Amino acid sequence: MTKPSQYKVIGTRPIRHDGVDKVTGRAVYGADVQLPGLVHGKMLRSSHAHARIKSIDTTSAEKLPGVFAVVTGADLPCLAGKMANLGEGAINLAHLSQNCLADTKVLYKGHAVAAVAAISPHVAEEAVKLIRVEYEPLPPVMELLAAMQPDAQLLHDDVFTNRLGEKSARPSNVSQHIHLEQGEVDQAFAKADLVIEREFRTASVHQGYIEPHVSIAFWNADGHVTIWTSTQGAFTVRQQTAELFEIPVSRITVIPTEIGGGFGGKIPVYLEPVAAALSRKCGRPVKMTMQRDEDFQGTGPTPGSVVRVKLGATQDGKLVAGQAWLAYDAGAFPGGMIGPGCMCVFSCYEIPNARVDGFDVLCNKPKTAAYRAPGATQAAFACESVIDELAEKLGIDPIDFRLKNAAKEGTRRPDGEVYRRIGIIETLQAVKQSEHYRSKTSGPNVGRGVAAGFWFNVGLKSSAAANVNNDGTVTLIEGSTDIGGTRTSVAMQLAETLGIAAEDVQPHVGDTDSVGYTDVTGGSRVTNATGKAAYQVGLDIKQQMAARAAIVFECKPEQVAVEGGVYRHQGQALTFKELAGKLPHIGEPVVGRATVDAGGATNGFGVHVVDLDVDRETGKVTILRYTAAQDVGTAIHPSYVEGQMQGGAVQGIGWALNEEYVFNERGEMLNASFLDYRMPTALDVPMIETMIVEVPNPEHPYGVRGVGETPIVPPPAALANAIYRATGVRMRELPMSPPKLWKAISRSAPPA
Amino acid sequence: MKDFEYSAAATIDEAVSLLARWGDRAKVLTGGTDLIVQLREGQREADMVIDVKKIPQLMESSYSREKGWRLGAAVPCHRIYEHAEVADAYPGLADAARIIGGWQIQSRASIGGNLCNASPAADSIPILIAYHATCRIAGPNGERTVPVAQFCVGPGRNQLARGEILVSLDFPPSLPRSSGAYLRFIPRNEMDIAVVGVGSWVQLNARGDAIEAARIGLGAVAPTPLVAEQASLWLCGKPANDDTFAQAGELARLVARPISDKRGPAEYRTHLVGVLTKRTLAIATKRARET
Ligand SMILES: Cc1cc2nc3c(=O)[nH]c(=O)nc-3n(C[C@H](O)[C@H](O)[C@H](O)COP(=O)(O)OP(=O)(O)OC[C@H]3O[C@@H](n4cnc5c(N)ncnc54)[C@H](O)[C@@H]3O)c2cc1C
């Protein structure tokens, strides 16, 4: 599709500003940071999934030559009862601290218990082995529904169920019960012609970012702490660390390094406070790098879930009622992804009568963290599978069924949100008309599945500033760590506003001392919110440049007309570059600045189509063709938009087919490596085709919607629906791995 | 990982005497693609690592139509599938060599290392068994040979005594109308360890429509790779068709005694033995007809 563009820079595909450094290996990641006197930290992790710590003896470790410091939970302040808002709602600081270093209990295998700083990583490893911990093992609570039982073994005695603001009488592993309701649900179900209710399960999965967690901390003798770290948000690391040590934020500088993927998993702190505590003790900078098994076992996966969805429709395919029950495991501490799960379960459709109950459930697994559209994929797997079954039973094409019921401007979600202009209908129509969807599938074990998905794009706070250089370039400093090409997408919006080339903007991600407050890179917000800040920086610069032009033109600033980067007055004209060249001689330097609090979520919708082949004898799925369509508002840099859609789809495919934490009865993860935690490789997926749909977001100057997260949401349901078409078997448990699919096929049809 | 000594032996005698001196505290290094990972992850420990890639006999690969093939224990995988005559005569081993890791691994990893590491899931062992390969071993008391089928004694444990190294793997000549094939099942298309691996070798009659002899090796279904003896013998004299292959698969399943673990449940593994036996026999037969 080509169409004349109203833009000069937006919609083009310039080479990313950080590209050369990344392909030549010059980009500085956390592991590359070297400092004089640097020593190496190593964590001792719990070998039990659930146990009380009776004692920790660090004397032998401390005596080992080459060891500089040993820390345990006792080296962090006691924060019992303290709460803080770290941008994701109020959290219990004691829990955050205990997750970094356990105090009286270990709550999952891999839970950090103590740490050593030593002259080399090898000496640190040897010293860790010398730490003696006496445990009193407790029964591990691993199964979600069992954890919810009133007589279940408790993880915490200070966690109670919060139900609509009311606290339960007794402590519980259920930390929260969310209830949403609209319309007359029971009456509506009674009137439906067809009601289908199903139960679904999903396993814990990990973001699988390629770069393990790594942090370097230096606690200077003057009390100032500097942290270099691989994070999605320098300011949240600063805030969390300040809270954990009870020191003012101004005593901490966080320098975000390049980041090799995060997907939500690099928002909480893990290593930063521990490296800081070690550095405070030994007076040297301390570097801590996780090994892959530590990333799996010691950082947040995304929740496993049990979800029941019930939907009612009329004979002609109109959804009239919906009900969902969702339980998500939060891992060892409260605060999983149940909130967004509840908001997302019915978010693609207009369901006037709906009820949603959601439960945040503790169990002896690592504390969960966000993972790309956190909570939405589990919910969509359930809802989109039931939608597919309804469409099939009613004899309606699955896209047509979704079109009949798709959410639109004015649709109210069960959580109360009323949609503004959204693009799910346009996306469904694009898929319906696509060559892929109109083509025929062939082969005895081949099936096609479709599914839709939704995710919010949050706004939140961003700051940016830019200096105009006298060679006509602009140096942009923003605070959003770049995990998806956002430096370039943000720079392009500034370039568009100024009427200059993308290459003439040099974007930099600043540290917490050199850029204004900026929230995390998450919630698909950066191109939207930081992009908006860049646009406003552009307006600010334009105004200042017009004032400088007025000096040259000898007129009033308001008399200068600016268009396409050219400043004019009565036959005189200066390009941005020419004007910039005159800056040293005409008035003050030009520095633009802007801060935004881009409140309110906009919304991204995607629809995926997959053709796949099932080997009935082995249960192995081969993906033949895959198309991801999405309303992206406006594609600033189409290649990065496509890349996000492809990457999200591949992660969703992995979640659908093979990825899972495998635990034994003692709660030990058995597959904490990329060998046995099976993410898709390049040979496991075809080229993911993409269809960019553009329904501009009315609240963004360039119509941007967030893109990054939605694409992980549809794949598991799309694959399950395709597997059904291929085999006649409905898979309701993730992953749909070969042994499980083989078993389901052989149960459904005895061998011919 | 703790520090260790390193020595690159130039002759078999030198390696043998180093090994005899250091005993359990020494480890032999060929490609290192198992050993180095295991040392780093603390699964094995060594005070002395003896590199044997400088020993000519361990790096030789000599093939002749009449005498068969002698494959030095340290020859990296890529030299197998890139050697046209060898890949033609023993395509089943080339199947295995092509899927052990990616090309970086295949540039270092040897079949000898794959065998000595004695993983029940090692990709080369079932097909080595199917081809009747034998191990030539050197030690303080001279040379001896052992059939591959008897070489492994448990997960990660082999027959070698103190001071012994594997020098080469010897293959009988590849006769007309015979061939082999190896398949493993993995959930993805690369970067996985076999959930089950099956290597099959067949010798067809002059008309190419019946099986005269066959041998089936199984991986990842017991503490060591196995020979599916009964299935192999049953095949003699049977018509070479899909029915026969499927029935042989049923018989091969009987010897499988897998465990359930992170790589797959026991029931599924047993089932896969049937599927892969059938499929490898079909491929081996097709190849044998083309020789
Ligand atoms: C990324 C990756 C992917 C892999 N993929 C596969 C795969 O798909 N399939 C598979 O089967 N394996 C795989 N492996 C494992 C490994 O590559 C193979 O087992 C390989 O064949 C080992 O050969 P090597 O020459 O590297 O052995 P080394 O690591 O050098 O040695 C292996 C063991 O054998 C001993 N040894 C070696 N040679 C001798 C000798 N001549 N005499 C006595 N003892 C000896 C060593 O002491 C050591 O214990 C993979 C490994 C990696 C790192």
Side-chain angles (χ1 to χ4, degrees), chain A residues 172-423:
Chain A
S172 167
N173 289 331
V174 178
S175 80
Q176 198 184 8
H177 174 186
I178 295 171
H179 179 81
L180 311 172
E181 189 154 345
Q182 68 183 3
E184 299 294 336
V185 182
D186 297 324
Q187 281 160 268
F189 271 118
K191 284 197 214 122
D193 296 317
L194 178 61
V195 175
I196 293 179
E197 180 171 17
R198 302 287 180 231
E199 182 174 294
F200 299 83
R201 284 163 197 259
T202 70
S204 301
V205 297
H206 196 268
Q207 302 85 2
Y209 34 74
I210 198 74
E211 180 206 23
H213 277 270
V214 51
S215 302
I216 299 91
F218 178 49
W219 197 300
N220 200 0
D222 64 4
H224 192 91
V225 187
T226 308
I227 295 172
W228 294 257
T229 189
S230 174
T231 178
Q232 290 176 239
F235 286 90
T236 185
V237 169
R238 184 178 75 164
Q239 184 76 24
Q240 292 178 69
T241 310
E243 300 281 1
L244 291 179
F245 286 102
E246 300 187 293
I247 59 175
V249 288
S250 59
R251 267 184 48 196
I252 303 176
T253 304
V254 177
I255 303 170
T257 59
E258 285 300 340
I259 172 170
F263 308 107
K266 289 184 181 163
I267 298 173
V269 292
Y270 298 101
L271 298 176
E272 294 87 343
V274 182
L278 285 167
S279 177
R280 178 167 61 176
K281 258 198 170 166
C282 69
R284 287 166 171 256
V286 176
K287 180 190 242 178
M288 298 189 79
T289 311
M290 287 196 194
Q291 298 296 307
R292 184 59 59 183
D293 61 332
E294 297 183 274
D295 275 288
F296 277 116
Q297 300 183 84
T299 74
T302 207
S305 70
V306 178
V307 179
R308 297 178 197 129
V309 165
K310 177 175 167 186
L311 288 171
T314 58
Q315 201 57 49
D316 60 353
K318 197 80 195 142
L319 287 172
V320 290
Q323 182 171 311
W325 184 99
L326 307 92
Y328 284 15
D329 76 49
F333 296 97
M337 309 301 144
I338 191 62
C342 291
M343 290 152 87
C344 288
V345 64
F346 294 140
S347 51
C348 290
Y349 304 103
E350 183 157 280
I351 307 180
N353 308 290
R355 178 188 295 142
V356 180
D357 285 282
F359 302 86
D360 186 55
V361 185
L362 297 166
C363 60
N364 293 114
K365 297 184 190 174
K367 160 86 175 84
T368 55
Y371 177 20
R372 214 166 187 158
T377 304
Q378 296 93 325
F381 172 52
C383 179
E384 290 294 305
S385 295
V386 177
I387 291 276
D388 193 67
E389 215 178 320
L390 278 173
E392 185 220 353
K393 295 232 159 82
L394 293 170
I396 304 174
D397 169 88
I399 297 279
D400 288 336
F401 185 85
R402 286 175 172 84
L403 274 169
K404 266 180 201 283
N405 294 289
K408 48 186 172 295
E409 193 167 355
T411 296
R412 185 182 190 280
R413 258 195 342 241
D415 58 293
E417 169 81 9
V418 177
Y419 286 127
R420 286 157 286 173
R421 182 74 172 91
I422 54 174

Side-chain angles (χ1 to χ4, degrees), chain A residues 24 30 70 86 109 122 137 147 182 232 253 274-275 278 316 380 471 521 530 534-535 539 577 678:
Chain A
T24 57
V70 181
L86 300 177
K109 161 94 180 354
H122 298 306
Q182 68 183 3
Q232 290 176 239
T253 304
V274 182
L278 285 167
D316 60 353
D471 59 2
T521 296
T530 309
Y535 164 76
L539 297 184
K577 208 173 217 112
R678 296 173 174 129

Side-chain angles (χ1 to χ4, degrees), chain B residues 24 46 133 186 202 235-236 241 244 250 264 267:
Chain B
D24 275 356
I186 54 173
V202 296
L235 278 165
C236 302
N241 61 31
T244 301
E250 292 303 308
E267 179 196 12

